Amino acid sequence: MSWTVYLSGEIHTDWREVIQEGSDAKGLPVRFSAPVTDHGASDDCGVAILGAEEKKVWHDRKGAGVNAIRTRTLIEQADIVVVRFGTQYKQWNAAFDAGYAAALGKSLVILHRPEHQHPLKEVDAAAQAVAETPEQVVEILDYVINGVLAK
Amino acid sequence: MSWTVYLSGEIHTDWREVIQEGSDAKGLPVRFSAPVTDHGASDDCGVAILGAEEKKVWHDRKGAGVNAIRTRTLIEQADIVVVRFGTQYKQWNAAFDAGYAAALGKSLVILHRPEHQHPLKEVDAAAQAVAETPEQVVEILDYVINGVLAK
Amino acid sequence: MSWTVYLSGEIHTDWREVIQEGSDAKGLPVRFSAPVTDHGASDDCGVAILGAEEKKVWHDRKGAGVNAIRTRTLIEQADIVVVRFGTQYKQWNAAFDAGYAAALGKSLVILHRPEHQHPLKEVDAAAQAVAETPEQVVEILDYVINGVLAK
Amino acid sequence: MSWTVYLSGEIHTDWREVIQEGSDAKGLPVRFSAPVTDHGASDDCGVAILGAEEKKVWHDRKGAGVNAIRTRTLIEQADIVVVRFGTQYKQWNAAFDAGYAAALGKSLVILHRPEHQHPLKEVDAAAQAVAETPEQVVEILDYVINGVLAK
Amino acid sequence: MSWTVYLSGEIHTDWREVIQEGSDAKGLPVRFSAPVTDHGASDDCGVAILGAEEKKVWHDRKGAGVNAIRTRTLIEQADIVVVRFGTQYKQWNAAFDAGYAAALGKSLVILHRPEHQHPLKEVDAAAQAVAETPEQVVEILDYVINGVLAK
Amino acid sequence: MSWTVYLSGEIHTDWREVIQEGSDAKGLPVRFSAPVTDHGASDDCGVAILGAEEKKVWHDRKGAGVNAIRTRTLIEQADIVVVRFGTQYKQWNAAFDAGYAAALGKSLVILHRPEHQHPLKEVDAAAQAVAETPEQVVEILDYVINGVLAK
Amino acid sequence: MSWTVYLSGEIHTDWREVIQEGSDAKGLPVRFSAPVTDHGASDDCGVAILGAEEKKVWHDRKGAGVNAIRTRTLIEQADIVVVRFGTQYKQWNAAFDAGYAAALGKSLVILHRPEHQHPLKEVDAAAQAVAETPEQVVEILDYVINGVLAK
Amino acid sequence: MSWTVYLSGEIHTDWREVIQEGSDAKGLPVRFSAPVTDHGASDDCGVAILGAEEKKVWHDRKGAGVNAIRTRTLIEQADIVVVRFGTQYKQWNAAFDAGYAAALGKSLVILHRPEHQHPLKEVDAAAQAVAETPEQVVEILDYVINGVLAK
């Protein structure tokens, strides 16, 4: 069986690559998916494809709609949703994805540094696991899929 | 991953071919599906297979039932439902499909010319994207699937 | 038990009043609901409350969003959804509501004049009953609720 | 019919009172619900009832669990979920609630000041309406419930 | 709390009255519902309200559609669905109702005489209880609601 | 795309073979499934595997349970459920399957001879098509899958 | 708003009374429900109503079916499900109820003494709160409903 | 078609191997899945991956969360859930899994020795089959999948 893991959230560090390379190194049968991580493309996709808008709010609305086609579909197809909160930006879309995934009954893994523990307490409480590093996420996937605890 | 896209609505222009050829030209992993687009077959399938009816209403009812087997199944299997409204006919079945897909939580792309913007406002508001040309739909698919915004 | 009946569609004739008065005259335990039937208010509610837009498309989008709060909630609470198609306008929102209600498994009654039978054949085939007059809808409600066929 | 409206998010200003008083002044048939808005009680409820924890993470986990009993139940019972984002704090639980409500198909109204438009674009795109003031939320409720646009 | 019990199936004996009177005699808080039990009305409701049909199949189709508005709504609202199979007729609609209720997760009580045990074995296996007399159904309701076993 | 079609109901004639051979002759991409059609095995599977019972009712209950593992799973996986009613036996399990499939929203095709039209009217009204011969079912599948009406 | 709380599990101590009296003393708007707590009645209800069985397994099966009508209905209607594990007996039905409620998305409170923490770890992890005493359950209800933390 | 069977419950005997080998010997197209059956790994996975805890309750909570990612995902993907109760330990997680699977509508096979019949009566009543030996489970799979009763 192949597992499908959606990697939501922070797009400014290489945590997705760490998880994917770690998973590949262990030969895990995982198919990863993610939102568009090119910040500029993500912001501008709506107007680039469907026509420019003068007002920023509609510029953003068009883009958010197009991005939602990707994110909603991939979250719905995922067995596990990993959501990473970084140290910058509001990241409300990450928390939104976590709530969306929780309501769909997806297994949820939250990834964040200890200093965000308190503001993320409601999100963490809805998750099956809370990790601090992408390497821990790889270990969770390894254990969950293979059923063996690496020494 | 392969994406499944249902192309609902207007059957008198070649918009489905434009989308499919555009998608193929980009090598997108999309499986397209659609209602029966042979107008005559669609109208007569019920009585041709299950026996003639004198009254038009039952002639049509039989055909609509048989067509629904195809359309409902394919809409339920789709990741994305594209609905095109053309310039002729009532096209209530297209709007019905859009409502049906929306209630199922499908990603919805509406395709119509600007002059229909006002009467389609409720339908558009339920969609993730509103396009004017089939080429834009191809660009949406390219972006949503590959995560890269074509220059 | 009280029944909840949502009256969707055409807003330029008094068919809703005919149904409600007919139902009241029979003392039926029905609570009727409906979209906003003041055409101007329905068009302008978004910008009137949330601020003006220069472009017609966003003027309409804001209004359609606000109206959807009412229509979706009331359709979901309804036992029966009646959708009337009139002789004017595109009425795609009526067909959208019918599709939406059908996907939710609501009982559906379609109300239209005979000349629209062919373009509505898919919508009619998804319905439990197709009526031509609001008086017939009252008779359906009377029979369905009281279980007695009026002579 | 009585409407149920859940007021999620920011707990440091009186926006909930403004909405409730505005609604009462108009005589709207709305039953409001909300999370626990006493910050201290919300933080400490878990350990106060179920026993102290030395580690902050478990102190918070116990509280988040108890609070979730209230918030999940009330969100599921709501017809409309209003989520307000303020100017302070991370407010990830507010965004989580918005995602949770969206996945359940609730009508969603987002309330925030214009400067948060960009980081909230995905959340706003999932909503039926985006307001800037609690008075606008009252106007939305009045229109949605009574079907009349106040002049 | 009030319980809702739908009484489906055979319409030629007084078993519904026996159950309702037995329930009333015990003061059980049960609201009973049922299909239309006037055989003639049930057969003719479609054409009586919506216009005559020459062919029997469409005469019946119209009636079945109208009756389904009542039966589907009431089954969906029921806590318990009781289905009685009598000694005459095909009674396929009774078995259809049982399958429909089972798929919706309703509690199912089947009521039939011992000689029908074998052909009803699949239906009985989907039920929580199989009774032979309406008095037993009353006893089940009494026990299930009051939690006390009558001596 | 491959379609999955469950063939429920009558097990004493070769209608399943006619459909499967007709489908194969046309090269249709259909995977057929069915209940166990060996009457004796179907009756005795429970006690043969899980131990004998003295009372017929429990003999049958055990078998019905085991058979339900097959039938429920296959109906849930089907795109289309075809239910045939023959001329003998009560066939309440066929009608139960039809109700079960209808509640799950499956496309339903009912297959029966004209003399059963009246007692099957409620079942037929829940179906998308009503056929008289297995050859018609093959034609429906051909049309629904290939979108072309055979001349 | 009134809350509905189902009290599942151990039936040999007075924990349900403690919770109900504590709730009443605080004037909480809670409607409690529970399985039949008369052990003998619960064991014998099936045969007492539906006829004796010689084999214990069928004696028990009949009773379990009748009891399930009550327990499933009340669990489905509950906002919160409290499951208590006592010190005696296998109590597999309590754990079954917890799993059933969890899959339905109910808020879950588990009540047990500390020595059962390890064997209940999977059950506890699926719950929003784990209490040791019925008084704590009352405090949880008070806080969750009134939003105020008792000093 | 390939069937997916989840083997829940007791982890101290070789019953899973007996079923898998028996299934392989018959060439059944079954994909088996199971929880982690290494007791130590299952207990310690949480802290081994995510960091040590001083208190046993949080040590266990972390592990239960990680294990739930595996068990919930695999149960949701299963066509059939087999739950074995052994002679030792509380096994509340097994009963929890049975309740969880039942609420999801999975086909359920319970496997236990006769002496546990009474305390498992509610669990057995929710199952389609109750077996005493793993060999019987293999026979059930063979019959259910191949439709032929082995002599």
Side-chain angles (χ1 to χ4, degrees):
Chain A
M1 182 191 130
S2 174
W3 292 65
T4 304
V5 178
Y6 183 78
L7 303 172
S8 172
E10 186 252 310
I11 61 170
H12 298 94
T13 64
D14 67 346
W15 69 279
R16 284 185 184 81
E17 287 69 32
V18 174
I19 290 175
Q20 297 188 47
E21 287 167 14
S23 174
D24 287 353
K26 290 175 183 287
L28 300 182
V30 178
R31 194 178 62 188
F32 291 100
S33 61
V36 172
T37 56
D38 175 338
H39 198 147
S42 173
D43 271 6
D44 298 333
C45 62
V47 296
I49 297 173
L50 299 170
E53 293 293 332
E54 287 184 19
K55 294 175 70 171
K56 180 67 173 157
V57 62
W58 301 120
H59 177 112
D60 282 352
R61 180 65 54 85
K62 274 182 166 175
V66 171
N67 283 312
I69 297 174
R70 178 178 172 102
T71 57
R72 302 291 168 83
T73 302
L74 295 177
I75 288 176
E76 277 157 30
Q77 290 175 345
D79 299 308
I80 300 173
V81 174
V82 181
V83 185
R84 176 170 165 89
F85 290 84
T87 54
Q88 296 178 294
Y89 303 104
K90 296 291 189 185
Q91 305 182 83
W92 285 322
N93 57 336
F96 181 90
D97 281 0
Y100 195 87
L104 295 179
K106 300 293 174 186
S107 285
L108 202 56
V109 177
I110 307 299
L111 176 57
H112 63 80
R113 296 178 55 166
E115 63 262 36
H116 285 154
Q117 181 270 316
H118 186 65
L120 280 170
K121 64 183 190 293
E122 289 88 1
V123 178
D124 287 355
Q128 276 64 48
V130 180
E132 292 185 16
T133 69
E135 289 79 6
Q136 287 176 326
V137 175
V138 175
E139 287 184 66
I140 289 171
L141 293 177
D142 189 17
Y143 173 76
V144 162
I145 293 170
N146 289 324
V148 178
L149 197 54
K151 307 297 167 180
Chain B
M1 184 190 127
S2 173
W3 292 64
T4 304
V5 177
Y6 183 78
L7 303 172
S8 171
E10 185 252 309
I11 61 171
H12 298 94
T13 65
D14 67 346
W15 68 280
R16 284 185 185 81
E17 286 69 32
V18 174
I19 290 176
Q20 297 189 49
E21 287 166 12
S23 174
D24 287 353
K26 290 174 184 287
L28 301 182
V30 178
R31 193 179 64 187
F32 290 100
S33 60
V36 171
T37 55
D38 175 337
H39 198 146
S42 173
D43 271 6
D44 298 333
C45 62
V47 296
I49 297 173
L50 299 170
E53 292 294 332
E54 286 185 20
K55 294 175 72 170
K56 181 65 172 158
V57 62
W58 301 120
H59 177 112
D60 282 352
R61 179 66 54 87
K62 275 183 164 175
V66 171
N67 283 312
I69 297 174
R70 179 179 173 102
T71 57
R72 303 290 168 85
T73 301
L74 295 176
I75 288 175
E76 277 157 29
Q77 291 175 343
D79 298 308
I80 300 172
V81 173
V82 180
V83 186
R84 176 170 166 88
F85 290 83
T87 54
Q88 296 178 295
Y89 302 104
K90 296 292 189 186
Q91 305 181 83
W92 285 321
N93 57 335
F96 181 90
D97 281 359
Y100 195 87
L104 295 179
K106 301 292 174 186
S107 285
L108 203 55
V109 177
I110 307 299
L111 176 57
H112 63 80
R113 299 179 53 167
E115 62 261 37
H116 285 154
Q117 181 271 317
H118 186 64
L120 280 171
K121 65 183 189 294
E122 288 88 0
V123 178
D124 286 355
Q128 277 64 47
V130 180
E132 291 186 16
T133 69
E135 288 79 7
Q136 288 176 324
V137 176
V138 175
E139 286 185 67
I140 289 172
L141 294 176
D142 189 16
Y143 172 75
V144 163
I145 293 170
N146 289 323
V148 178
L149 197 54
K151 308 295 166 179
Chain C
M1 184 190 127
S2 173
W3 292 64
T4 304
V5 177
Y6 184 78
L7 302 173
S8 171
E10 186 252 309
I11 60 170
H12 299 92
T13 65
D14 66 348
W15 68 280
R16 284 184 184 81
E17 286 69 31
V18 174
I19 290 176
Q20 296 188 49
E21 287 167 13
S23 174
D24 287 352
K26 290 175 182 288
L28 301 183
V30 177
R31 193 179 64 189
F32 291 99
S33 61
V36 172
T37 55
D38 175 337
H39 198 149
S42 172
D43 272 5
D44 297 333
C45 61
V47 296
I49 298 173
L50 299 170
E53 293 294 331
E54 287 185 19
K55 294 175 72 170
K56 179 67 173 156
V57 61
W58 301 120
H59 177 111
D60 281 352
R61 181 65 54 85
K62 274 183 166 175
V66 171
N67 283 311
I69 297 175
R70 179 179 171 102
T71 56
R72 300 292 168 83
T73 301
L74 295 176
I75 289 175
E76 277 157 29
Q77 290 175 342
D79 298 309
I80 301 173
V81 174
V82 180
V83 186
R84 175 168 166 90
F85 291 85
T87 54
Q88 294 178 297
Y89 302 104
K90 295 291 188 186
Q91 305 181 82
W92 284 322
N93 56 336
F96 181 90
D97 281 359
Y100 196 86
L104 295 179
K106 301 292 174 187
S107 285
L108 202 56
V109 177
I110 307 299
L111 175 58
H112 63 81
R113 298 179 52 167
E115 62 262 37
H116 284 156
Q117 179 272 315
H118 187 64
L120 280 170
K121 65 183 187 296
E122 289 87 1
V123 178
D124 286 355
Q128 276 65 47
V130 180
E132 292 186 15
T133 68
E135 288 80 6
Q136 287 175 326
V137 176
V138 176
E139 287 185 65
I140 289 172
L141 294 176
D142 188 19
Y143 173 75
V144 162
I145 293 170
N146 289 324
V148 178
L149 198 53
K151 306 298 166 179
Chain D
M1 183 190 127
S2 173
W3 292 65
T4 304
V5 177
Y6 183 79
L7 303 173
S8 171
E10 187 252 308
I11 60 171
H12 298 92
T13 65
D14 67 347
W15 68 279
R16 284 185 183 82
E17 286 68 32
V18 175
I19 290 176
Q20 297 189 47
E21 288 166 14
S23 174
D24 287 353
K26 290 175 183 288
L28 301 182
V30 177
R31 194 179 62 188
F32 291 99
S33 60
V36 172
T37 55
D38 175 338
H39 198 149
S42 172
D43 272 5
D44 298 333
C45 61
V47 296
I49 298 173
L50 299 170
E53 293 293 332
E54 288 184 19
K55 294 176 72 170
K56 179 68 173 155
V57 61
W58 300 121
H59 178 113
D60 281 353
R61 181 66 54 85
K62 275 182 165 174
V66 171
N67 283 312
I69 297 174
R70 179 177 171 104
T71 57
R72 302 291 168 82
T73 302
L74 296 176
I75 289 176
E76 277 157 30
Q77 291 174 343
D79 298 309
I80 301 173
V81 174
V82 180
V83 186
R84 174 168 167 90
F85 290 84
T87 54
Q88 294 178 297
Y89 302 103
K90 296 291 187 185
Q91 306 182 80
W92 285 322
N93 57 336
F96 182 90
D97 281 0
Y100 195 87
L104 295 179
K106 300 293 173 185
S107 285
L108 202 56
V109 177
I110 308 299
L111 175 58
H112 63 81
R113 298 178 52 166
E115 62 261 37
H116 284 156
Q117 180 272 316
H118 187 64
L120 280 170
K121 65 183 189 294
E122 289 87 359
V123 178
D124 286 355
Q128 276 65 49
V130 180
E132 291 186 16
T133 67
E135 289 79 6
Q136 288 176 325
V137 176
V138 175
E139 287 185 66
I140 290 171
L141 294 177
D142 188 19
Y143 173 75
V144 163
I145 293 170
N146 289 324
V148 178
L149 197 54
K151 306 298 168 180
Chain E
M1 183 189 128
S2 173
W3 293 64
T4 305
V5 177
Y6 183 78
L7 303 172
S8 171
E10 185 252 310
I11 60 170
H12 298 93
T13 65
D14 67 347
W15 68 280
R16 283 184 185 81
E17 286 69 32
V18 174
I19 290 177
Q20 297 189 50
E21 287 166 14
S23 174
D24 287 352
K26 290 174 183 288
L28 301 182
V30 178
R31 194 178 63 190
F32 291 99
S33 60
V36 172
T37 55
D38 174 337
H39 197 148
S42 172
D43 272 5
D44 297 334
C45 62
V47 296
I49 298 173
L50 299 169
E53 292 294 331
E54 287 185 19
K55 292 175 73 171
K56 180 67 173 158
V57 62
W58 301 119
H59 177 112
D60 282 351
R61 181 65 54 87
K62 275 182 166 176
V66 171
N67 283 312
I69 297 174
R70 178 178 172 102
T71 56
R72 300 293 167 84
T73 301
L74 295 177
I75 288 176
E76 277 157 29
Q77 291 175 341
D79 299 307
I80 301 173
V81 174
V82 180
V83 186
R84 175 169 166 89
F85 290 84
T87 53
Q88 294 178 297
Y89 302 105
K90 296 292 188 186
Q91 304 182 82
W92 285 322
N93 57 336
F96 181 91
D97 281 359
Y100 196 87
L104 295 179
K106 300 292 174 187
S107 285
L108 202 56
V109 177
I110 307 299
L111 175 58
H112 63 81
R113 298 179 52 169
E115 63 261 37
H116 285 155
Q117 180 272 316
H118 187 65
L120 281 170
K121 65 182 188 295
E122 288 87 2
V123 178
D124 286 355
Q128 276 64 48
V130 180
E132 290 186 17
T133 69
E135 288 80 6
Q136 288 176 324
V137 176
V138 176
E139 287 185 65
I140 289 172
L141 294 177
D142 188 18
Y143 173 76
V144 162
I145 293 170
N146 289 324
V148 178
L149 198 53
K151 307 297 167 179
Chain F
M1 183 190 128
S2 173
W3 292 65
T4 304
V5 178
Y6 184 78
L7 303 172
S8 171
E10 185 252 309
I11 60 171
H12 298 94
T13 67
D14 67 346
W15 69 280
R16 284 185 183 82
E17 286 69 32
V18 174
I19 290 176
Q20 296 189 47
E21 288 166 12
S23 174
D24 287 353
K26 289 173 183 289
L28 301 181
V30 178
R31 193 178 63 188
F32 290 100
S33 61
V36 171
T37 55
D38 175 337
H39 198 147
S42 172
D43 273 5
D44 297 333
C45 62
V47 296
I49 297 173
L50 298 170
E53 292 294 332
E54 286 185 21
K55 292 175 73 171
K56 180 66 172 156
V57 62
W58 301 120
H59 177 112
D60 281 352
R61 180 66 54 87
K62 275 183 164 174
V66 171
N67 282 313
I69 297 174
R70 178 179 173 104
T71 57
R72 301 291 169 84
T73 302
L74 295 176
I75 288 175
E76 277 158 29
Q77 291 176 343
D79 299 308
I80 301 171
V81 174
V82 181
V83 186
R84 175 169 167 89
F85 290 84
T87 53
Q88 295 178 296
Y89 302 104
K90 296 292 188 185
Q91 305 181 82
W92 285 321
N93 57 335
F96 181 91
D97 281 0
Y100 195 87
L104 295 179
K106 301 293 173 184
S107 285
L108 202 55
V109 177
I110 308 298
L111 175 57
H112 63 81
R113 298 178 52 167
E115 62 262 37
H116 285 155
Q117 181 272 316
H118 187 64
L120 281 170
K121 66 183 188 295
E122 288 87 2
V123 178
D124 286 355
Q128 276 64 49
V130 180
E132 292 185 16
T133 69
E135 288 80 6
Q136 288 176 324
V137 176
V138 175
E139 286 185 67
I140 290 172
L141 293 177
D142 189 18
Y143 172 76
V144 162
I145 293 170
N146 289 324
V148 178
L149 197 54
K151 307 295 167 181
Chain G
M1 182 190 129
S2 172
W3 293 64
T4 305
V5 177
Y6 183 78
L7 303 173
S8 171
E10 187 252 310
I11 60 172
H12 299 93
T13 65
D14 66 347
W15 68 280
R16 285 185 183 80
E17 286 69 31
V18 174
I19 291 176
Q20 297 189 48
E21 287 166 14
S23 174
D24 287 353
K26 289 175 184 288
L28 301 182
V30 177
R31 194 178 62 189
F32 291 99
S33 60
V36 172
T37 55
D38 175 338
H39 198 147
S42 172
D43 272 6
D44 297 333
C45 62
V47 296
I49 298 172
L50 299 170
E53 291 294 331
E54 287 185 20
K55 293 175 73 170
K56 179 68 172 157
V57 62
W58 301 120
H59 178 112
D60 282 352
R61 180 66 54 86
K62 275 183 165 175
V66 171
N67 283 312
I69 297 174
R70 179 177 172 103
T71 57
R72 301 293 167 83
T73 302
L74 295 177
I75 288 176
E76 277 157 29
Q77 291 175 341
D79 298 308
I80 300 173
V81 174
V82 180
V83 186
R84 174 169 166 90
F85 290 83
T87 54
Q88 294 178 297
Y89 303 104
K90 296 292 188 185
Q91 305 182 80
W92 285 322
N93 57 335
F96 181 90
D97 280 0
Y100 195 87
L104 295 179
K106 299 293 173 186
S107 285
L108 201 56
V109 177
I110 308 298
L111 175 58
H112 63 81
R113 298 178 53 167
E115 62 261 37
H116 284 154
Q117 180 271 317
H118 187 63
L120 280 171
K121 65 183 189 295
E122 288 87 0
V123 178
D124 286 355
Q128 276 65 49
V130 179
E132 292 186 17
T133 68
E135 287 80 6
Q136 288 176 325
V137 176
V138 176
E139 287 184 65
I140 290 172
L141 294 176
D142 189 17
Y143 173 76
V144 162
I145 293 170
N146 289 325
V148 178
L149 197 53
K151 306 297 166 181
Chain H
M1 183 191 126
S2 174
W3 292 65
T4 304
V5 177
Y6 184 77
L7 303 172
S8 171
E10 186 252 309
I11 60 170
H12 298 93
T13 66
D14 67 346
W15 68 279
R16 285 185 183 82
E17 288 69 32
V18 173
I19 290 176
Q20 297 189 47
E21 287 166 14
S23 174
D24 287 352
K26 289 175 183 289
L28 301 182
V30 177
R31 194 178 63 188
F32 291 99
S33 61
V36 172
T37 55
D38 176 336
H39 198 148
S42 172
D43 272 6
D44 298 333
C45 62
V47 295
I49 298 173
L50 299 170
E53 292 294 332
E54 286 184 21
K55 292 175 73 170
K56 180 66 174 157
V57 61
W58 301 120
H59 177 112
D60 281 353
R61 180 65 54 87
K62 274 182 165 175
V66 172
N67 283 313
I69 298 175
R70 179 179 171 103
T71 57
R72 300 292 167 84
T73 302
L74 295 177
I75 288 175
E76 277 158 29
Q77 291 175 343
D79 299 308
I80 300 173
V81 174
V82 180
V83 186
R84 175 170 166 88
F85 291 83
T87 54
Q88 295 178 295
Y89 303 104
K90 296 291 188 186
Q91 305 183 79
W92 285 322
N93 58 335
F96 182 90
D97 281 359
Y100 195 87
L104 295 179
K106 301 293 174 184
S107 286
L108 202 56
V109 177
I110 307 299
L111 176 57
H112 64 80
R113 297 178 54 166
E115 61 262 37
H116 285 154
Q117 181 271 315
H118 187 63
L120 280 170
K121 65 183 189 293
E122 288 87 1
V123 178
D124 287 355
Q128 277 65 48
V130 180
E132 291 185 16
T133 69
E135 288 79 5
Q136 288 176 326
V137 175
V138 175
E139 287 185 66
I140 289 171
L141 294 176
D142 189 18
Y143 173 75
V144 163
I145 293 170
N146 289 324
V148 178
L149 197 54
K151 306 297 167 180

